Amino acid sequence: MLDDKYHADRAVGTMQDKKITAKNVQVFYGDTHAIKDVNVDIADKTVTAFIGPSGCGKSTFLRCLNRMNDTIDICRVEGDILIDDEDIYDPRVDPVQLRAKVGMVFQKPNPFPKSIYDNVAYGPKIHGLAKTKADLDEIVESSLRKAALWNEAKDRLHQPGTGMSGGQQQRLCIARAIATAPEILLMDEPCSALDPIATAQVEELIDELRQSFSVVIVTHSMQQAARVSQKTAFFHLGNLVEFDDTDKIFTNPQDPRTESYISGRIG
Amino acid sequence: MTLETADITPPATPSGKGKSLLAQDTRTKKRNAAETRFKAYGIAALAFSILFLAMLLFAIVRNGVPAFTQTFVTIEVELPADVLDKNGNRDIDDIKKVSTFGYNPLIQDALVAATADIETDVADGDLKKMLSSSAGATVRNAVIANPDLIGQTVEFEVLASSRVDGYMKGRVEREDLERDRNLDAAHLDIVDALSQTGGVTRKFNWDFILGADASESRPEQAGMGVAMLGSVFMMLVVLLLSLPIGVAASIYLEEFAPQNWITDLIEVNISNLAAVPSIVFGILGLAVFIQFAHLPQSAPLVGGLTLTLMTLPTIVISTRASLKAVPPSIRSAALGVGASEMQTVFHHVLPLAMPGILTGTIIGLAQALGETAPLLLIGMVGYIASNYPDGIASGFLDPNSAMPAQIFEWAKRADPAYYERAWGGIIILLVFLMTMNIIAIILRRRFERRW
Ligand SMILES: Nc1ncnc2c1ncn2[C@@H]1O[C@H](COP(=O)(O)OP(=O)(O)O)[C@@H](O)[C@H]1O
Ligand SMILES: [Mg+2]
């Protein structure tokens, strides 16, 4: 029975077109070579997990996908990253437009010190997604619903987002990211600051988000990767060691480094 | 299981199971004693500073408050038409031809009349020594303002001379007058008698706050108003220039500029500029704005420009500090939903940094308000003895003084009455500074309360 579910999931993962393609990506922080020649295809409507020991470059690679690394002066990215076959590092690409298409959720919940409503409405506002106040209200409601936060937030839309619990704040950040109608959602250890119950809620949410987005999640918890993802990439010292279906990585890893990591010998 | 410590330290409890928590060991005692001592030092230091502050406040109030009251003499002056308006047609130009000297005999007559009941050996001609030499001008100004007074006998309250004022305030003793050619003890007898009947009164003197400076020999007439205007004009220049320039520079340096040796150098230089003595900015202002740019001397515009140079580093440093204090996660959040760097700064970072920026700006302004040395160098110690709006600080380019420079001028003058006024000026300056600080606190509360 369990196997059936895995196969079904894998079918979803492999049948879909690839959304993101990375070719020979190298990242340097000054002299530090943080990502070494990474090639990977990330599928649409799939949850892809990045795992690996801390400092191996998971976050760095994730930040390449929406060019958040641009804000770090010493960071240099080489190679090609294509989204829908367009090179996102092409000089014609404006990172602002890119980031509306590739939303991001951070490790620590970071709502703006504004109301819940304003948090969600900010993205649509600056991208001109809503023509009227009613449109905006609708975007806010549907984003909060998708983030499974509507029931908790609907009566306090105009109270500060910073006044919510950690788990609620993280779901608010997810709602904020969804509100700009992205196609890809990047999540950098979204549950590491949450308690187990909030973590379970967010994981459930991620599974639902897969219907609409290509989700890439960095996690330090292998159980989490196994629970939420269909594809898993294992990074080690800046190399992408192994990339395959999640169940295959966890049951039958090809590379000895992957095996020792998941069996707890490195990390 | 037996405790090994029991062998080393003798058991302090009857049961013998290790050390008792009820008795402190020597180490703890020592630590507690050190803590108590440190707290005592702290309290002593605090008490010391409070004592000094109290002494300072006491001195300021004691020396400065008398400056806010002034002694006036009430006299009834006859304004005969044949003296003041010879042609009898009330032509204002004819009336103006009579100088203040023309009014002095009238005032003398009024004084003789006022002291008619008092036994005195002061000669009639010497009576006017009781009055400020501004008395003639006071009466003349009233007549010019209202020519209908001519032909009537009008009651005037004129300033008493600074000696009489000093006597009323307890600053001048009878013995002091022996070597004084301005006033005799006999005058004081008249003053005593007149104050019995209400002819000499001491009351609150708005002219000290609102009036212009006066000559060395008329301290009773000098006021702070014109210098205050000069300071206000200067502060406007400083605010309008240093706030936008300072904040823009800080935002650029903090949020946009690449981190390289040039920005490092700029950063070091800004920190150093904040510590440069203000007189250096003064001579810079003299060289650049007056000698090179040929702006007028003693003008609030030049003062403001010079003080802007001095205030900018303060504002830049505090603005950068408050921008730095905004958590980076807010920036990532904004960039992450696709805000541009500019939107990130103006929508999210700046509002959060605002309380700090405003506090820094107001503290910078307060510093500039109290600054004296640079003003001396650019000549902002203008002597302006006429009241607003006659030929004084009606603008940014007219010569003027500023509050601290005026205080400095007064303190330099020989007459002890000016010493009193210098203290009074300090009170006005401190009220200004306190107001600015209160505004800073209110603004900070207002902006912080948003979340
Ligand atoms: N802003 C930065 N400046 C310099 N080096 C960085 C920066 N961010 C990450 N690094 C370096 O890049 C490497 C990968 O870091 P990171 O991507 O954060 O790892 P992970 O997310 O897998 O823990 C580490 O060696 C780290 O020291
Ligand atoms: Mg990381």
Side-chain angles (χ1 to χ4, degrees):
Chain A
M1 282 312 281
L2 200 76
D3 265 356
D4 277 349
K5 184 177 179 288
Y6 270 121
H7 288 304
D9 282 343
R10 203 187 310 159
V12 172
T14 47
M15 295 299 286
Q16 290 292 337
D17 314 320
K18 56 188 183 191
K19 187 73 180 167
I20 309 171
T21 308
K23 286 186 207 152
N24 308 103
V25 174
Q26 318 263 0
V27 182
F28 302 87
Y29 290 108
D31 294 333
T32 316
H33 198 172
I35 291 290
K36 295 162 192 161
D37 199 30
V38 167
N39 290 281
V40 69
D41 285 335
I42 292 171
D44 201 6
K45 310 272 192 275
T46 309
V47 178
T48 305
F50 290 175
I51 60 170
S54 96
C56 68
K58 308 178 294 289
S59 301
T60 300
F61 186 67
L62 193 74
R63 283 199 306 264
C64 290
L65 303 181
N66 68 345
R67 291 183 56 174
M68 278 299 266
N69 281 336
D70 288 15
T71 58
I72 302 169
D73 282 332
I74 55 166
C75 184
R76 207 170 78 243
V77 179
E78 288 173 10
D80 295 321
I81 296 176
L82 311 178
I83 291 180
D84 294 333
D85 294 324
E86 289 176 339
D87 182 3
I88 63 169
Y89 280 87
D90 188 290
R92 284 170 295 179
V93 171
D94 189 333
V96 166
Q97 267 170 295
L98 171 69
R99 289 179 200 141
K101 185 169 169 167
V102 185
M104 186 156 195
V105 176
F106 298 83
Q107 183 165 359
K108 224 180 97 222
N110 56 353
F112 299 129
K114 296 174 187 285
S115 70
I116 295 175
Y117 183 95
D118 288 340
N119 261 282
V120 183
Y122 181 70
K125 259 190 217 159
I126 57 170
H127 295 298
L129 299 183
K131 288 194 182 59
T132 62
K133 174 86 168 66
D135 282 356
L136 196 59
D137 289 349
E138 203 180 305
I139 294 179
V140 170
E141 178 173 345
S142 73
S143 306
L144 285 170
R145 276 189 197 285
K146 277 189 214 152
L149 195 60
W150 177 248
N151 287 335
E152 289 147 85
K154 64 171 185 272
D155 297 326
R156 45 190 288 199
L157 283 179
H158 296 285
Q159 283 167 32
T162 38
M164 300 199 295
S165 75
Q168 288 174 323
Q169 288 190 19
Q170 195 59 301
R171 278 179 284 147
L172 177 62
C173 293
I174 294 174
R176 181 177 66 190
I178 295 172
T180 59
E183 294 163 29
I184 299 168
L185 258 187
L186 309 178
M187 300 184 162
D188 193 350
E189 306 196 20
C191 299
S192 64
L194 305 186
D195 60 64
I197 293 174
T199 301
Q201 284 171 327
V202 172
E203 282 179 5
E204 202 175 310
L205 175 60
I206 292 170
D207 201 47
E208 266 164 44
L209 295 174
R210 174 158 67 92
Q211 314 296 328
S212 337
F213 310 101
S214 165
V215 180
V216 184
I217 176 171
V218 170
T219 173
H220 60 252
S221 145
M222 283 176 284
Q223 291 90 330
Q224 186 170 59
R227 280 193 303 262
V228 301
S229 71
Q230 290 79 52
K231 290 275 197 175
T232 295
F234 171 64
F235 286 83
H236 186 242
L237 299 177
N239 297 299
L240 175 59
V241 173
E242 196 166 348
F243 177 56
D244 213 327
D245 294 342
T246 299
D247 55 343
K248 204 159 161 221
I249 292 267
F250 283 99
T251 53
N252 186 19
Q254 302 299 305
D255 194 287
R257 285 170 292 177
T258 318
E259 212 212 315
S260 35
Y261 180 67
I262 57 177
S263 58
R265 263 175 281 145
I266 53 174
Chain B
M1 222 197 336
T2 51
L3 286 170
E4 284 175 42
T5 49
D7 304 334
I8 304 161
T9 44
T13 48
S15 59
K17 286 195 175 172
K19 285 187 275 185
S20 163
L21 286 174
L22 297 176
Q24 293 178 350
D25 59 19
T26 33
R27 182 180 276 271
T28 312
K29 271 186 199 142
K30 245 183 175 168
R31 197 160 57 196
N32 289 350
E35 229 161 79
T36 315
R37 241 179 295 133
F38 183 77
K39 275 187 208 156
Y41 293 150
I43 290 171
L46 201 63
F48 209 58
S49 356
I50 289 175
L51 182 73
F52 267 110
L53 192 66
M55 271 159 56
L56 183 72
L57 276 180
F58 177 74
I60 290 174
V61 169
R62 200 184 114 106
N63 290 310
V65 163
F68 288 87
T69 59
Q70 205 64 42
T71 307
F72 291 86
V73 179
T74 312
I75 48 174
E76 294 197 358
V77 185
E78 215 186 311
L79 302 170
D82 56 334
V83 180
L84 300 178
D85 185 21
K86 292 200 174 78
N87 300 330
N89 55 11
R90 297 290 186 272
D91 182 354
I92 194 76
D93 290 325
D94 282 344
I95 297 172
K96 277 185 180 168
K97 276 183 194 146
V98 182
S99 71
T100 49
F101 292 110
Y103 284 86
N104 283 345
L106 307 179
I107 290 170
Q108 187 178 321
D109 294 344
L111 275 174
V112 172
T115 55
D117 303 339
I118 301 165
E119 192 99 3
T120 176
D121 45 7
V122 177
D124 288 355
D126 275 349
L127 277 176
K128 65 171 184 294
K129 284 183 178 173
M130 280 168 23
L131 298 187
S132 162
S133 51
S134 69
T138 309
V139 177
R140 179 172 179 265
N141 288 344
V143 169
I144 290 172
N146 183 8
D148 293 342
L149 295 177
I150 293 175
Q152 305 176 26
T153 301
V154 184
E155 192 178 285
F156 283 97
E157 267 191 341
V158 294
L159 282 168
S161 78
S162 71
R163 296 295 191 287
V164 171
D165 182 56
Y167 174 67
M168 293 291 282
K169 288 173 181 168
R171 188 180 67 230
V172 174
E173 306 285 336
R174 276 167 193 270
E175 300 85 70
D176 300 340
L177 294 178
E178 273 166 21
R179 271 165 287 119
D180 193 325
R181 276 181 286 116
N182 292 315
L183 208 65
D184 300 323
H187 285 108
L188 296 183
D189 296 331
I190 302 177
V191 170
D192 283 340
L194 281 177
S195 60
Q196 299 275 309
T197 58
V200 171
T201 47
R202 187 177 157 198
K203 55 180 202 182
F204 193 79
N205 181 22
W206 280 106
D207 278 345
F208 175 63
I209 301 173
L210 302 173
D213 194 11
S215 76
E216 190 118 6
S217 60
R218 288 185 198 168
E220 65 278 1
Q221 209 194 356
M224 195 71 170
V226 171
M228 213 187 281
L229 267 181
S231 280
V232 169
F233 281 125
M234 272 196 330
M235 287 305 111
L236 279 179
V237 175
V238 176
L239 181 68
L240 292 180
L241 288 178
S242 63
L243 184 62
I245 296 178
V247 172
S250 327
I251 290 177
Y252 178 75
L253 282 175
E254 198 57 43
E255 306 284 334
F256 296 101
Q259 283 295 308
N260 55 27
W261 65 271
I262 301 178
T263 41
D264 285 349
L265 193 72
I266 292 175
E267 193 160 326
V268 170
N269 276 307
I270 290 175
S271 315
N272 284 338
L273 274 182
V276 166
S278 57
I279 197 150
V280 176
F281 289 102
I283 205 157
L284 187 69
L286 175 65
V288 174
F289 300 125
I290 296 178
Q291 286 166 356
F292 177 73
H294 295 294
L295 290 170
Q297 274 191 31
S298 311
L301 176 67
V302 177
L305 288 170
T306 308
L307 293 180
T308 299
L309 292 181
M310 205 196 80
T311 314
L312 266 176
T314 315
I315 293 186
V316 170
I317 288 172
S318 67
T319 303
R320 292 191 68 182
S322 23
L323 288 173
K324 265 201 189 87
V326 175
S329 65
I330 296 290
R331 292 182 182 84
S332 322
L335 292 171
V337 294
S340 67
E341 284 191 53
M342 184 96 163
Q343 286 171 327
T344 303
V345 171
F346 283 93
H347 295 169
H348 301 286
V349 178
L350 208 52
L352 291 176
M354 217 52 193
I357 295 176
L358 287 177
T359 314
T361 305
I362 292 179
I363 287 174
L365 281 186
Q367 255 175 31
L369 182 71
E371 200 53 71
T372 324
L375 301 184
L376 302 182
L377 285 191
I378 56 158
M380 270 217 61
V381 280
Y383 167 64
I384 292 103
S386 43
N387 266 312
Y388 184 84
D390 302 341
I392 56 121
S394 42
F396 293 99
L397 290 173
D398 295 317
N400 207 331
S401 185
M403 286 196 281
Q406 183 72 74
I407 292 167
F408 171 72
E409 277 299 303
W410 284 345
K412 259 189 348 187
R413 292 179 188 169
D415 196 320
Y418 268 121
Y419 180 69
E420 174 191 290
R421 283 181 133 65
W423 282 98
I426 293 281
I427 292 184
I428 297 180
L429 187 64
L430 287 180
V431 167
F432 262 73
L433 292 177
M434 233 140 72
T435 314
M436 289 171 77
N437 280 314
I438 290 170
I439 291 174
I441 291 170
I442 291 173
L443 283 176
R444 179 140 87 188
R445 287 267 168 81
R446 162 95 32 102
F447 275 91
E448 265 171 2
R449 203 174 287 162
R450 297 232 310 256
W451 295 110

PDB file of all heavy atoms in Angstrom, chain A residues 96-112:
ATOM      1  N   VAL A  96      13.593  41.935  -9.826  1.00  0.00           N
ATOM      2  CA  VAL A  96      12.322  42.248  -9.190  1.00  0.00           C
ATOM      3  C   VAL A  96      11.189  41.413  -9.803  1.00  0.00           C
ATOM      4  O   VAL A  96      10.374  40.822  -9.101  1.00  0.00           O
ATOM      5  CB  VAL A  96      12.045  43.759  -9.326  1.00  0.00           C
ATOM      6  CG1 VAL A  96      10.611  44.065  -9.001  1.00  0.00           C
ATOM      7  CG2 VAL A  96      12.981  44.533  -8.416  1.00  0.00           C
ATOM      8  N   GLN A  97      11.196  41.316 -11.145  1.00  0.00           N
ATOM      9  CA  GLN A  97      10.163  40.504 -11.800  1.00  0.00           C
ATOM     10  C   GLN A  97      10.368  39.023 -11.504  1.00  0.00           C
ATOM     11  O   GLN A  97       9.415  38.284 -11.298  1.00  0.00           O
ATOM     12  CB  GLN A  97      10.239  40.720 -13.312  1.00  0.00           C
ATOM     13  CG  GLN A  97       9.328  41.809 -13.800  1.00  0.00           C
ATOM     14  CD  GLN A  97       9.639  42.118 -15.247  1.00  0.00           C
ATOM     15  OE1 GLN A  97      10.722  42.599 -15.556  1.00  0.00           O
ATOM     16  NE2 GLN A  97       8.696  41.819 -16.108  1.00  0.00           N
ATOM     17  N   LEU A  98      11.653  38.647 -11.491  1.00  0.00           N
ATOM     18  CA  LEU A  98      11.974  37.250 -11.211  1.00  0.00           C
ATOM     19  C   LEU A  98      11.421  36.844  -9.849  1.00  0.00           C
ATOM     20  O   LEU A  98      10.836  35.781  -9.682  1.00  0.00           O
ATOM     21  CB  LEU A  98      13.494  37.067 -11.247  1.00  0.00           C
ATOM     22  CG  LEU A  98      13.997  35.705 -10.761  1.00  0.00           C
ATOM     23  CD1 LEU A  98      13.597  34.621 -11.738  1.00  0.00           C
ATOM     24  CD2 LEU A  98      15.500  35.724 -10.568  1.00  0.00           C
ATOM     25  N   ARG A  99      11.603  37.728  -8.856  1.00  0.00           N
ATOM     26  CA  ARG A  99      11.213  37.364  -7.494  1.00  0.00           C
ATOM     27  C   ARG A  99       9.706  37.345  -7.297  1.00  0.00           C
ATOM     28  O   ARG A  99       9.209  36.767  -6.337  1.00  0.00           O
ATOM     29  CB  ARG A  99      11.883  38.304  -6.485  1.00  0.00           C
ATOM     30  CG  ARG A  99      13.366  38.035  -6.387  1.00  0.00           C
ATOM     31  CD  ARG A  99      14.057  38.960  -5.429  1.00  0.00           C
ATOM     32  NE  ARG A  99      15.493  38.979  -5.719  1.00  0.00           N
ATOM     33  CZ  ARG A  99      16.234  40.065  -5.672  1.00  0.00           C
ATOM     34  NH1 ARG A  99      15.686  41.223  -5.341  1.00  0.00           N
ATOM     35  NH2 ARG A  99      17.509  40.001  -5.940  1.00  0.00           N
ATOM     36  N   ALA A 100       8.979  38.023  -8.197  1.00  0.00           N
ATOM     37  CA  ALA A 100       7.525  37.884  -8.130  1.00  0.00           C
ATOM     38  C   ALA A 100       7.121  36.496  -8.627  1.00  0.00           C
ATOM     39  O   ALA A 100       6.140  35.922  -8.175  1.00  0.00           O
ATOM     40  CB  ALA A 100       6.857  38.959  -8.975  1.00  0.00           C
ATOM     41  N   LYS A 101       7.931  35.947  -9.534  1.00  0.00           N
ATOM     42  CA  LYS A 101       7.621  34.643 -10.116  1.00  0.00           C
ATOM     43  C   LYS A 101       8.151  33.509  -9.238  1.00  0.00           C
ATOM     44  O   LYS A 101       7.614  32.414  -9.238  1.00  0.00           O
ATOM     45  CB  LYS A 101       8.268  34.582 -11.508  1.00  0.00           C
ATOM     46  CG  LYS A 101       7.955  33.368 -12.306  1.00  0.00           C
ATOM     47  CD  LYS A 101       8.430  33.582 -13.748  1.00  0.00           C
ATOM     48  CE  LYS A 101       8.384  32.278 -14.521  1.00  0.00           C
ATOM     49  NZ  LYS A 101       8.534  32.511 -15.960  1.00  0.00           N
ATOM     50  N   VAL A 102       9.231  33.816  -8.495  1.00  0.00           N
ATOM     51  CA  VAL A 102       9.842  32.817  -7.625  1.00  0.00           C
ATOM     52  C   VAL A 102       9.760  33.326  -6.190  1.00  0.00           C
ATOM     53  O   VAL A 102      10.570  34.121  -5.754  1.00  0.00           O
ATOM     54  CB  VAL A 102      11.317  32.572  -8.019  1.00  0.00           C
ATOM     55  CG1 VAL A 102      11.892  31.445  -7.192  1.00  0.00           C
ATOM     56  CG2 VAL A 102      11.436  32.284  -9.496  1.00  0.00           C
ATOM     57  N   GLY A 103       8.748  32.889  -5.463  1.00  0.00           N
ATOM     58  CA  GLY A 103       8.563  33.374  -4.093  1.00  0.00           C
ATOM     59  C   GLY A 103       9.512  32.683  -3.140  1.00  0.00           C
ATOM     60  O   GLY A 103      10.062  31.629  -3.437  1.00  0.00           O
ATOM     61  N   MET A 104       9.724  33.323  -1.966  1.00  0.00           N
ATOM     62  CA  MET A 104      10.668  32.727  -1.022  1.00  0.00           C
ATOM     63  C   MET A 104      10.132  32.818   0.405  1.00  0.00           C
ATOM     64  O   MET A 104       9.551  33.817   0.801  1.00  0.00           O
ATOM     65  CB  MET A 104      12.015  33.444  -1.121  1.00  0.00           C
ATOM     66  CG  MET A 104      13.086  32.790  -0.272  1.00  0.00           C
ATOM     67  SD  MET A 104      14.724  33.163  -0.907  1.00  0.00           S
ATOM     68  CE  MET A 104      15.707  31.946  -0.061  1.00  0.00           C
ATOM     69  N   VAL A 105      10.356  31.740   1.140  1.00  0.00           N
ATOM     70  CA  VAL A 105      10.003  31.715   2.564  1.00  0.00           C
ATOM     71  C   VAL A 105      11.286  31.439   3.326  1.00  0.00           C
ATOM     72  O   VAL A 105      12.065  30.568   2.938  1.00  0.00           O
ATOM     73  CB  VAL A 105       8.958  30.615   2.853  1.00  0.00           C
ATOM     74  CG1 VAL A 105       8.670  30.534   4.342  1.00  0.00           C
ATOM     75  CG2 VAL A 105       7.686  30.890   2.069  1.00  0.00           C
ATOM     76  N   PHE A 106      11.511  32.212   4.392  1.00  0.00           N
ATOM     77  CA  PHE A 106      12.809  32.168   5.047  1.00  0.00           C
ATOM     78  C   PHE A 106      12.778  31.285   6.287  1.00  0.00           C
ATOM     79  O   PHE A 106      11.721  30.874   6.762  1.00  0.00           O
ATOM     80  CB  PHE A 106      13.269  33.583   5.407  1.00  0.00           C
ATOM     81  CG  PHE A 106      13.443  34.455   4.197  1.00  0.00           C
ATOM     82  CD1 PHE A 106      12.357  35.100   3.627  1.00  0.00           C
ATOM     83  CD2 PHE A 106      14.680  34.603   3.606  1.00  0.00           C
ATOM     84  CE1 PHE A 106      12.510  35.884   2.507  1.00  0.00           C
ATOM     85  CE2 PHE A 106      14.841  35.389   2.473  1.00  0.00           C
ATOM     86  CZ  PHE A 106      13.752  36.030   1.926  1.00  0.00           C
ATOM     87  N   GLN A 107      13.984  31.058   6.791  1.00  0.00           N
ATOM     88  CA  GLN A 107      14.150  30.173   7.934  1.00  0.00           C
ATOM     89  C   GLN A 107      13.402  30.693   9.158  1.00  0.00           C
ATOM     90  O   GLN A 107      12.650  29.976   9.788  1.00  0.00           O
ATOM     91  CB  GLN A 107      15.645  30.079   8.221  1.00  0.00           C
ATOM     92  CG  GLN A 107      16.009  29.153   9.340  1.00  0.00           C
ATOM     93  CD  GLN A 107      17.491  28.838   9.306  1.00  0.00           C
ATOM     94  OE1 GLN A 107      18.234  29.299   8.448  1.00  0.00           O
ATOM     95  NE2 GLN A 107      17.928  28.041  10.248  1.00  0.00           N
ATOM     96  N   LYS A 108      13.638  31.960   9.465  1.00  0.00           N
ATOM     97  CA  LYS A 108      12.954  32.549  10.619  1.00  0.00           C
ATOM     98  C   LYS A 108      11.741  33.301  10.078  1.00  0.00           C
ATOM     99  O   LYS A 108      11.877  34.057   9.127  1.00  0.00           O
ATOM    100  CB  LYS A 108      13.894  33.538  11.314  1.00  0.00           C
ATOM    101  CG  LYS A 108      13.882  33.422  12.826  1.00  0.00           C
ATOM    102  CD  LYS A 108      14.833  34.427  13.461  1.00  0.00           C
ATOM    103  CE  LYS A 108      14.084  35.648  13.888  1.00  0.00           C
ATOM    104  NZ  LYS A 108      14.713  36.924  13.630  1.00  0.00           N
ATOM    105  N   PRO A 109      10.558  33.084  10.662  1.00  0.00           N
ATOM    106  CA  PRO A 109       9.391  33.841  10.188  1.00  0.00           C
ATOM    107  C   PRO A 109       9.698  35.333  10.248  1.00  0.00           C
ATOM    108  O   PRO A 109      10.148  35.825  11.282  1.00  0.00           O
ATOM    109  CB  PRO A 109       8.282  33.466  11.180  1.00  0.00           C
ATOM    110  CG  PRO A 109       8.734  32.230  11.856  1.00  0.00           C
ATOM    111  CD  PRO A 109      10.227  32.220  11.799  1.00  0.00           C
ATOM    112  N   ASN A 110       9.504  36.033   9.133  1.00  0.00           N
ATOM    113  CA  ASN A 110       9.858  37.457   9.123  1.00  0.00           C
ATOM    114  C   ASN A 110       8.723  38.321   8.569  1.00  0.00           C
ATOM    115  O   ASN A 110       8.888  38.994   7.562  1.00  0.00           O
ATOM    116  CB  ASN A 110      11.143  37.697   8.342  1.00  0.00           C
ATOM    117  CG  ASN A 110      11.065  37.152   6.914  1.00  0.00           C
ATOM    118  OD1 ASN A 110      10.098  36.494   6.556  1.00  0.00           O
ATOM    119  ND2 ASN A 110      12.047  37.448   6.113  1.00  0.00           N
ATOM    120  N   PRO A 111       7.551  38.288   9.220  1.00  0.00           N
ATOM    121  CA  PRO A 111       6.481  39.180   8.738  1.00  0.00           C
ATOM    122  C   PRO A 111       6.914  40.629   8.887  1.00  0.00           C
ATOM    123  O   PRO A 111       7.728  40.953   9.762  1.00  0.00           O
ATOM    124  CB  PRO A 111       5.307  38.857   9.660  1.00  0.00           C
ATOM    125  CG  PRO A 111       5.917  38.264  10.877  1.00  0.00           C
ATOM    126  CD  PRO A 111       7.170  37.576  10.437  1.00  0.00           C
ATOM    127  N   PHE A 112       6.385  41.502   8.021  1.00  0.00           N
ATOM    128  CA  PHE A 112       6.629  42.934   8.188  1.00  0.00           C
ATOM    129  C   PHE A 112       5.937  43.401   9.463  1.00  0.00           C
ATOM    130  O   PHE A 112       4.890  42.868   9.823  1.00  0.00           O
ATOM    131  CB  PHE A 112       6.035  43.717   7.013  1.00  0.00           C
ATOM    132  CG  PHE A 112       6.614  43.365   5.687  1.00  0.00           C
ATOM    133  CD1 PHE A 112       5.788  43.045   4.623  1.00  0.00           C
ATOM    134  CD2 PHE A 112       7.983  43.351   5.486  1.00  0.00           C
ATOM    135  CE1 PHE A 112       6.310  42.715   3.383  1.00  0.00           C
ATOM    136  CE2 PHE A 112       8.511  43.026   4.250  1.00  0.00           C
ATOM    137  CZ  PHE A 112       7.682  42.708   3.204  1.00  0.00           C
TER     138      PHE A 112
END
